[in-house]
Amino acid sequence: LELRPREAVRWRERSKCLQLSGDLDGALADINRGIEITPRSADLLLARARIHIDRKETELALADHDSAIEIEPANAWLRYSRALLLVEQNRFVDAIRDFDVAVEQGGRQPEWIKERGRAKLRIEDFAGAAKDLNDAVTLDPSLAPECAEDTMKAINAVREREK
């Protein structure tokens, strides 16, 4: 019994190598073998989600994220990862909910706050976007160049609404 989890890790590592080499079918087959051994592994489900993303199978990637979050609901990284996927699908409100949970559970990660701000900009929550983008830069000044344009869009939109 104790060897089984280690065996699953070996399948995950082999899957990762195949994925990096571009053999997505082989990578998926190997990660599925690992998941058969340890079906309640959020780590393996996230690895499979990444393969699905590379294969452009977004719905399958979201399903694996959902399953992983069900296993580890307090895992902020899983929420952040799913939020990024939801943004790619233009599901901004759902993404913002996940960003909110990720930021709450995982501390104030500047990158996460920045991405939440960008999602808020897309739903025209300009005040929320400006606050998040400003907070992200305050926490990590190195984000300033990539946040500048979005921050100005948000601030200008807030000013326009106030007129």
Side-chain angles (χ1 to χ4, degrees):
L1 271 172
E2 208 161 300
L3 290 176
R4 307 249 333 140
R6 274 194 234 137
E7 190 177 322
V9 169
R10 288 189 189 121
W11 284 116
R12 183 192 70 216
E13 293 306 312
R14 184 176 139 152
S15 172
K16 189 184 300 182
C17 290
L18 290 170
Q19 184 180 8
L20 291 172
S21 72
D23 181 0
L24 299 179
D25 292 335
L28 185 59
D30 280 0
I31 201 67
N32 283 336
R33 287 185 186 107
I35 290 171
E36 286 172 16
I37 296 166
T38 55
R40 300 221 15 104
S41 169
D43 180 52
L44 293 177
L45 288 165
L46 184 59
R48 184 169 69 183
R50 289 185 182 127
I51 295 167
H52 285 309
I53 290 167
D54 287 351
R55 291 168 54 108
K56 309 286 189 244
E57 299 167 340
T58 307
E59 289 305 319
L60 293 172
L62 281 171
D64 279 341
H65 274 88
D66 293 344
S67 296
I69 289 169
E70 189 176 302
I71 293 165
E72 291 186 24
N75 186 323
W77 173 254
L78 291 173
R79 295 285 184 156
Y80 174 70
S81 180
R82 184 173 69 179
L84 292 175
L85 195 53
L86 291 166
V87 165
E88 287 180 21
Q89 292 222 303
N90 297 322
R91 293 174 53 188
F92 302 111
V93 173
D94 293 333
I96 291 166
R97 280 191 211 111
D98 270 354
F99 284 132
D100 287 344
V101 173
V103 169
E104 182 181 314
Q105 291 176 337
R108 296 187 46 80
Q109 301 291 330
E111 186 72 25
W112 300 5
I113 295 168
K114 175 193 80 173
E115 292 300 334
R116 182 177 65 184
R118 286 185 165 162
K120 288 179 179 180
L121 190 60
R122 300 293 295 273
I123 63 165
E124 299 185 357
D125 174 3
F126 299 119
K131 181 183 181 328
D132 278 351
L133 293 165
N134 185 57
D135 287 352
V137 170
T138 299
L139 292 167
D140 182 356
S142 72
L143 293 175
E146 62 185 282
C147 290
E149 185 177 335
D150 288 336
T151 302
M152 288 310 300
K153 281 182 195 173
I155 290 169
N156 289 335
V158 168
R159 287 180 182 154
E160 279 297 311
R161 283 190 175 169
E162 290 175 350
K163 287 183 179 179

